[in-house]
Amino acid sequence: MKKDINQLFIYPKTWVSKETGDITKSVRQWANKEIVSRRLEFLDDLDTLFPKVRASLALDIGCQGLMFPADLDGLGLEVPDAAPALIMVLKEIGRADAGIGFIHAMEYALCALLTTAGGNAFSQLAPLFCGDTLNSAAMILPACGRTGETMPLFEGRPVAAVVSRNGAGFTISGWGLRPLDLGMDAAVFAVVGADSDGTPGVAVVVADGEGVTRGENILKTGLEGCSNANIDFNSVPLESMMWFEGEAAVRHLYSWTNLLLGAVSVGAAMGCMEVVGEWAADRVIKGGGLMKDNPLCASVLAEAYEEVALSWTLIHHLANALANPGEWGDAGDLMMFTQAQMTGRRVQSSALQAINKMMELMASEGYAREGRMEKAWRDVKTIQSGLCGVGGEALIRLDVARYVFDSNAV
């Protein structure tokens, strides 16, 4: 592919600061050097190379702790202003490897929530994310209900974790809770729970606390390098600053998660465009002529680009809206939650559809597990499945119908 992938997508550059460009350039250089230029080697020795290249990004470049205040040894990017910077960074990471992008997206979504509580919450977690040790955050969102149990609901989604007041603080309990991923390794969990009145909120739980138990490693489709497990909480103590009460806190977490994981998946699709562009450069079809010059093949390539381009535009639109809460409301408002859910659903679907088209064009070389395309498909599919939750995209469509048309569907 002769053209620079970053020059093929129009977006409002005035929304992106010079500082953002500098950070993005560093991450792009990391991506090209560590993974993109040697993608097959990376895939062949993933178990060894994944932690090494992740460490160089997280610790050497500073993408771990990116959103922690500078006086806590972070880089000081603060939401909501940093939303455009975060999507640019995560797009570049996702372009290299969606698994590494997922790890950072979970940390940044947690930090976006911590910002609503001020510096004290950051100070509690800074030793984990601003030191010399690799750490990650896992997210436990509402999932499926259980036979014979009545659970509180958040927008029709069963909330399995229970938060109880205990003196000046709280405790959290729940069993068999499934994180989106990273449950096996995470140092911190952001958990959607509900209090005794059924009011939902988000608890931030340090993983080495008393009463936290991890299950066995879960076999899954994608996001290799990220290990997951079911989690049990047995009356785990919570400091008051680590319980974010109310539906607005849950909506806040969903809004930022949709934005950040959307950027990761778009980046993965852009990486696949580079692969198929290189593959199609000299691919000759039967009868002579380049495959990309065949009208049918050219149309497939154009459709894939269209899906990625429109998705990138939507992600920028959402990032700008979140960065300017005075215009439409902050991430916890129902309006922004609805827009984020709709955008996240559409972007994940489009990224996956684009990768599908490129894989189909490459036929067996696209589907081959040892190829450069197949892992990206599995990663994005895993992100899409976890983000949409049980029931696929239906619950997100009901979120939109409730807000826009006052539907009572659950």
Side-chain angles (χ1 to χ4, degrees), residues 83-101:
L86 294 174
I87 63 169
M88 297 292 286
V89 167
L90 288 171
K91 180 263 289 184
E92 291 295 338
I93 302 175
R95 172 177 154 260
D97 186 80
I100 298 176

Side-chain angles (χ1 to χ4, degrees), residues 169-186:
F170 299 87
T171 61
I172 183 170
S173 297
W175 59 273
L177 305 175
R178 178 73 57 89
L180 294 183
D181 211 317
L182 303 172
M184 184 63 75
D185 304 317

